[in-house]
Amino acid sequence: AQSVTQPDIHITVSEGASLELRCNYSYGATPYLFWYVQSPGQGLQLLLKYFSGDTLVQGIKGFEAEFKRSQSSFNLRKPSVHWSDAAEYFCAVASTSGTYKYIFGTGTRLKVLA
Amino acid sequence: DAGVTQSPTHLIKTRGQQVTLRCSPISGHKSVSWYQQVLGQGPQFIFQYYEKEERGRGNFPDRFSARQFPNYSSELNVNALLLGDSALYLCASSPPDSVTNTQYFGPGTRLTVL
């Protein structure tokens, strides 16, 4: 069965520091991979997505993610975090056949110190 | 362009009651998905509808039902509410490109069951 693991429940970084949020997935073939961000009380905003091709994907708000097939990972990175990046981040996987269902990880809550 | 809209924003019901949640997709999107997000968890897939037909269903009891209208808006109905149904209900719409099926989420409806 497909699954997504986000090993870090909480992460705290200082403003201006670099950030890496981890995501591991379990799926037999190359999946479609997504990162979403959720601010308190809000819906999910799409940061970036990977379907095929270049394994380094650029997204909005200065985020990027790298797909590593050998490690079944799709980690999210940002070189310099801003206070406004404090939010909850979700990694999701969708089947490449019948892509109607997303499976989400449990999320990583990011706190940014001034 | 307007994003996915959901109504109402918040809802309080008592156990045993029935509730209807509404979703309007992004203009031009024909697919609507529903997710349940319990506090502290990632969203869980409930349903997807495409062109008014159910295309997928998650592991939810028959108390949960949905439909899609000719204008592609959708309703999610939950009967015989339980305390455990308290959650943020998210609606997402997808563009007609069936290959990518990227889902764009609305702000959600917060349901509290007392």
Side-chain angles (χ1 to χ4, degrees), chain A residues 1-2 4-5 11 16 18 23 26 31 39 47 49 53-54 60 64 71 77-78 92-93 97-98 100 106 109 112:
Chain A
Q2 293 173 264
V4 175
T5 302
I11 282 186
S18 64
C23 173
S26 172
S39 297
L47 285 176
K49 58 190 177 184
D54 192 347
I60 63 171
E64 67 178 26
Q71 299 177 18
R77 300 193 295 247
K78 187 170 186 178
V93 63
S97 59
Y100 48 83
T106 52
R109 183 165 296 279
V112 180

Side-chain angles (χ1 to χ4, degrees), chain A residues 62-79:
Chain A
F63 285 93
E64 67 178 26
E66 186 171 13
F67 169 63
K68 293 185 177 179
R69 184 191 305 274
S70 61
Q71 299 177 18
S72 296
S73 70
F74 188 56
N75 294 349
L76 182 71
R77 300 193 295 247
K78 187 170 186 178

Side-chain angles (χ1 to χ4, degrees), chain A residues 19-33:
Chain A
L19 172 70
E20 182 168 29
L21 302 181
R22 295 183 290 165
C23 173
N24 292 96
Y25 66 90
S26 172
Y27 184 64
T30 301
Y32 294 161
L33 294 160

Side-chain angles (χ1 to χ4, degrees), chain B residues 31-52:
Chain B
S31 175
V32 169
S33 301
W34 287 95
Y35 290 80
Q36 180 196 63
Q37 186 180 18
V38 174
L39 197 62
Q41 298 294 319
Q44 298 287 318
F45 174 77
I46 309 175
F47 284 111
Q48 188 181 74
Y49 277 77
Y50 179 74
E51 291 277 16
K52 303 183 289 295

Side-chain angles (χ1 to χ4, degrees), chain A residues 32 34 36 38 41-44 46 49 51 90 99-102 104-106, chain B residues 35 37 41-43 45 48 55-56 88 98-103 105-107:
Chain A
Y32 294 161
F34 306 84
Y36 286 86
Q38 186 176 39
Q42 302 296 313
L44 302 174
L46 178 67
K49 58 190 177 184
F51 297 128
F90 291 94
T99 56
Y100 48 83
K101 176 180 176 180
Y102 280 22
F104 285 86
T106 52
Chain B
Y35 290 80
Q37 186 180 18
Q41 298 294 319
F45 174 77
Q48 188 181 74
R55 196 160 77 169
L88 180 68
S98 62
V99 174
T100 62
N101 195 45
T102 301
Q103 297 185 12
F105 285 82

Side-chain angles (χ1 to χ4, degrees), chain B residues 17-73:
Chain B
Q17 285 189 311
Q18 176 265 340
V19 68
T20 298
L21 311 181
R22 295 175 176 82
C23 171
S24 292
I26 294 171
S27 178
H29 289 193
K30 299 181 179 181
S31 175
V32 169
S33 301
W34 287 95
Y35 290 80
Q36 180 196 63
Q37 186 180 18
V38 174
L39 197 62
Q41 298 294 319
Q44 298 287 318
F45 174 77
I46 309 175
F47 284 111
Q48 188 181 74
Y49 277 77
Y50 179 74
E51 291 277 16
K52 303 183 289 295
E53 297 289 326
E54 182 183 302
R55 196 160 77 169
R57 183 186 181 109
N59 188 25
F60 280 81
D62 291 343
R63 299 185 295 108
F64 288 77
S65 63
R67 56 180 175 168
Q68 188 176 31
F69 299 98
N71 66 353
Y72 304 110
S73 67

